[in-house]
């Protein structure tokens, strides 16, 4: 299905019905030609005439192998899709008077999200008259960001939006490991052999007596 959609994007050969085209491609004279002449040039080379820029004046056509052209376009689309990384945002909700147990539980989850590369949107929800504790909520969010400073950095400081005070954290990039230098081999230990000095002749005679 995707291949069919790609084919529909480009007109080729006899489907190109304009009067003249701007010709591009390898091993062809580039310039503006009547469409009939451009078709003959492509045919003589055993290739196709592919309209790659229909909105230009005149439209731009390339002399190329159509199947190879489609393959290259498909490959380029895959590369672009791989580069466009989808950003995941995880939400953590607090109350203005969250207890320590609940706080630690949510802190642990936030660490996991940031380590996985997701952004964390933490917010304090104020219900009814609890909006009076908005300063308390701000302190809570700043403490939360501080406890996560090894895992993420603050993208947006606490801001009040309606009944929610929100802070945004984005994951820190993991440090690139440095290649270790090969350890130097230890210098060989020289073995020193001590040869005893010969005794004088007079000392040998005394010992024999």
């Amino acid at each position: 299905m995707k291949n069919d959609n790609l084919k529909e994007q480009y007109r080729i050969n006899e489907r190109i019905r304009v009067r003249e085209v701007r010709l591009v491609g390898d091993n062809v004279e580039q310039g503006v030609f009547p469409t009939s002449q451009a078709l003959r040039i492509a045919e003589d080379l055993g290739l196709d005439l592919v309209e790659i820029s229909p909105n230009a004046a005149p439209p731009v056509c390339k002399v190329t192998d159509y199947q190879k052209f489609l393959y290259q376009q498909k490959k380029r689309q895959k590369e672009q899709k791989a580069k466009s990384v989808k950003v995941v945002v995880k939400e953590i909700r607090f109350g203005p008077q969250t207890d320590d147990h609940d706080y630690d539980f949510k802190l642990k989850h936030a660490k996991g999200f940031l380590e996985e590369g997701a952004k964390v949107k933490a917010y304090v929800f104020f219900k009814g008259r609890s909006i009076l504790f908005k300063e308390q909520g701000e302190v809570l969010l700043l403490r939360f960001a501080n406890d996560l400073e090894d895992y993420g950095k603050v993208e947006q400081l606490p801001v009040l939006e309606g009944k929610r005070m929100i802070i945004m954290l984005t994951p820190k990039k993991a440090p690139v490991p440095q290649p270790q230098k090969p350890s130097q081999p230890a210098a060989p230990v020289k073995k020193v052999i001590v040869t005893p000095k010969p005794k004088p002749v007079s000392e040998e005679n005394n010992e024999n007596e």
Side-chain angles (χ1 to χ4, degrees):
M1 184 67 70
K2 287 183 180 178
N3 250 350
D4 292 340
N5 291 339
L6 198 59
K7 285 180 181 179
E8 292 301 318
Q9 289 182 22
Y10 303 98
R11 292 187 295 182
I12 65 167
N13 300 330
E14 286 73 19
R15 289 174 58 197
I16 303 168
R17 294 192 176 91
V18 293
R19 188 171 58 86
E20 59 183 14
V21 296
R22 182 175 296 279
L23 203 60
V24 296
D26 299 328
N27 304 319
V28 297
E29 183 183 345
Q30 302 192 9
V32 177
F33 293 88
T35 304
S36 56
Q37 186 179 349
L39 282 166
R40 280 197 303 273
I41 293 170
E43 190 177 351
D44 291 344
L45 292 170
L47 298 170
D48 300 293
L49 188 67
V50 183
E51 187 182 55
I52 59 173
S53 185
N55 297 325
V60 179
C61 292
K62 185 175 184 178
V63 174
T64 185
D65 182 314
Y66 184 50
Q67 294 303 321
K68 186 178 177 181
F69 174 79
L70 285 180
Y71 171 77
Q72 289 172 340
Q73 294 301 310
K74 190 177 178 183
K75 186 178 177 183
R76 190 174 291 117
Q77 284 181 0
K78 279 187 177 179
E79 288 172 353
Q80 288 174 348
K81 189 176 179 180
K83 286 179 183 176
S84 60
V85 181
K86 187 178 179 181
V87 179
V88 178
V89 180
K90 298 287 188 177
E91 292 192 352
I92 302 282
R93 172 176 168 164
F94 292 102
Q97 294 176 315
T98 300
D99 60 41
D100 288 342
H101 176 74
D102 192 29
Y103 175 86
D104 291 338
F105 178 75
K106 290 176 178 179
L107 182 69
K108 183 180 177 182
H109 275 283
K111 285 178 182 177
F113 294 149
L114 291 167
E115 285 179 328
E116 291 168 4
K119 288 187 177 184
V120 171
K121 180 181 183 179
Y123 65 91
V124 179
F125 183 76
F126 300 101
K127 189 176 180 181
R129 296 187 63 188
S130 67
I131 193 70
L132 298 171
F133 298 101
K134 64 180 180 180
E135 289 181 4
Q136 201 169 325
E138 185 176 1
V139 170
L140 174 66
L141 291 177
L142 291 173
R143 173 193 168 194
F144 187 67
N146 187 60
D147 289 342
L148 291 168
E149 63 180 351
D150 291 337
Y151 301 89
K153 55 186 177 181
V154 177
E155 186 178 273
Q156 175 191 300
L157 286 168
V159 59
L160 190 64
E161 294 181 2
K163 293 183 178 181
R164 300 193 305 175
M165 181 169 281
I166 300 167
I167 193 170
M168 285 291 293
L169 300 170
T170 188
K172 282 187 175 180
K173 291 183 179 177
V176 179
Q178 297 295 325
Q180 294 183 351
K181 293 182 180 179
S183 56
Q184 296 293 331
V189 179
K190 293 182 180 179
K191 191 174 181 181
V192 180
I193 301 173
V194 180
T195 306
K197 292 182 180 180
K199 294 181 180 180
V201 177
S202 57
E203 289 182 11
E204 287 182 0
N205 291 338
N206 290 337
E207 286 178 3
N208 291 332
E209 292 175 358

